């Protein structure tokens, strides 16, 4: 039999999961966060934090994405219970670490985007291809916004090359939608940069 507090914690988490399955996202994220506050030492807290991070991202509550995501990553570094380890898979950690970089893009804080994405890309753990491509594109877009387009162009070119390699190997359909979106954005931005260069040449020739 479970101790009373573990039984209560389990019941609290199940309520949050029911809200999530019913697509009542506001109620779900509130329930997950209440569970985290009420039972901060419960083995299932990392799972609740992972859920809360994802829901807050879908609701564009980016400040909470950072708060929940950073707490999740910190707890994963200290995970000892089986339940915590099951929530803290390498893919889950990479996904949350990537999500934590997104609020800076939403704010238009381009220097912070570069810093956060660079930190993400230098993670010691393996990074899924789709998240690596997305982080590279985010960095390239930030470089472009800051007027350092050549650095951004190199990143876009690298993403396009990797996309071509996947296509040539017949593996492009295996790429997660996030990676496909990154590839499409890299192709678009490459075209935009080339178009801007052509316009600049035309203006010089007129002068």
């Amino acid at each position: 039999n479970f101790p009373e507090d573990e039984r209560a914690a389990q019941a609290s988490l199940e309520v949050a999961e029911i809200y999530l399955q019913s697509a009542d996202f506001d109620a779900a994220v509130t329930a997950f966060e209440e569970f985290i506050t009420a039972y901060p030492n419960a083995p299932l807290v990392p799972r609740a934090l992972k859920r809360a991070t994802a829901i807050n991202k879908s609701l564009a509550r980016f400040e909470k994405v950072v708060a929940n995501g950073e707490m999740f990553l910190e707890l994963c570094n200290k995970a000892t219970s089986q339940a915590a380890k099951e929530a803290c898979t390498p893919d889950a950690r990479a996904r949350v670490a990537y999500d934590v970089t997104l609020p800076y893009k939403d704010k238009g804080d381009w220097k912070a985007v570069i810093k956060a994405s660079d930190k993400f890309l230098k993670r010691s753990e393996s990074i899924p291809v789709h998240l690596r491509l997305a982080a590279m594109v985010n960095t390239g877009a930030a470089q472009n916004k800051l007027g350092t387009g050549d650095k951004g162009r190199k990143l876009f070119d690298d993403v396009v090359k990797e996309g071509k390699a996947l296509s040539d190997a017949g593996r492009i359909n295996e790429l997660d939608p996030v990676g496909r979106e990154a590839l499409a954005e890299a192709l678009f931005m490459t075209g935009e940069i080339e178009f801007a260069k052509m316009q600049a040449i035309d203006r010089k020739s007129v002068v």
Side-chain angles (χ1 to χ4, degrees):
N1 292 333
F2 286 135
E4 194 63 32
D5 57 339
E6 288 188 29
R7 211 191 303 268
Q10 183 68 39
S12 177
L13 189 61
E14 286 174 1
V15 169
E17 294 284 2
I18 289 169
Y19 283 131
L20 180 59
Q21 290 169 15
S22 303
D24 189 344
F25 300 120
D26 281 314
V29 77
T30 297
F32 280 122
E33 290 174 346
E34 287 176 350
F35 166 81
I36 293 160
T37 300
Y39 306 100
N41 298 316
L44 291 170
V45 165
R47 175 176 152 190
L49 282 165
K50 181 171 68 172
R51 295 273 203 271
T53 302
I55 297 169
N56 279 317
K57 178 190 169 189
S58 70
L59 296 174
R61 296 172 179 170
F62 292 115
E63 294 298 327
K64 288 194 172 184
V65 170
V66 173
N68 294 152
E70 289 184 344
M71 190 184 300
F72 170 80
L73 294 170
E74 183 180 346
L75 288 179
C76 284
N77 288 334
K78 301 181 289 187
T80 55
S81 72
Q82 185 60 32
K85 289 178 180 178
E86 287 174 0
C88 297
T89 63
D91 280 0
R93 292 168 76 149
R95 175 82 242 191
V96 171
Y98 172 74
D99 287 346
V100 167
T101 71
L102 298 180
Y104 303 111
K105 184 179 179 183
D106 180 66
K107 292 178 181 177
D109 187 345
W110 304 116
K111 289 183 179 179
V113 169
I114 293 168
K115 183 177 179 180
S117 296
D118 186 57
K119 180 181 177 182
F120 171 75
L121 291 167
K122 290 179 178 176
R123 283 168 56 82
S124 58
E125 297 177 332
S126 62
I127 301 173
V129 173
H130 64 285
L131 296 181
R132 180 163 50 78
L133 296 180
M136 289 168 68
V137 167
N138 289 344
T139 303
Q143 296 283 11
N144 204 45
K145 290 284 187 180
L146 292 172
T148 51
D150 288 342
K151 292 181 180 178
R153 174 62 189 267
K154 184 181 184 309
L155 287 164
F156 297 140
D157 285 344
D158 288 345
V159 170
V160 171
K161 285 177 185 176
E162 189 151 355
K164 185 178 184 305
L166 288 169
S167 181
D168 291 345
R171 296 179 52 212
I172 195 70
N173 290 333
E174 299 173 13
L175 189 61
D176 183 275
V178 170
R180 293 186 206 175
E181 288 175 15
L183 179 56
E185 186 174 350
L187 287 164
F188 175 78
M189 290 303 299
T190 299
E192 286 286 291
I193 291 169
E194 285 302 308
F195 182 67
K197 285 182 178 178
M198 289 175 63
Q199 284 187 315
I201 292 171
D202 287 344
R203 282 195 293 270
K204 286 182 180 178
S205 64
V206 170
V207 175

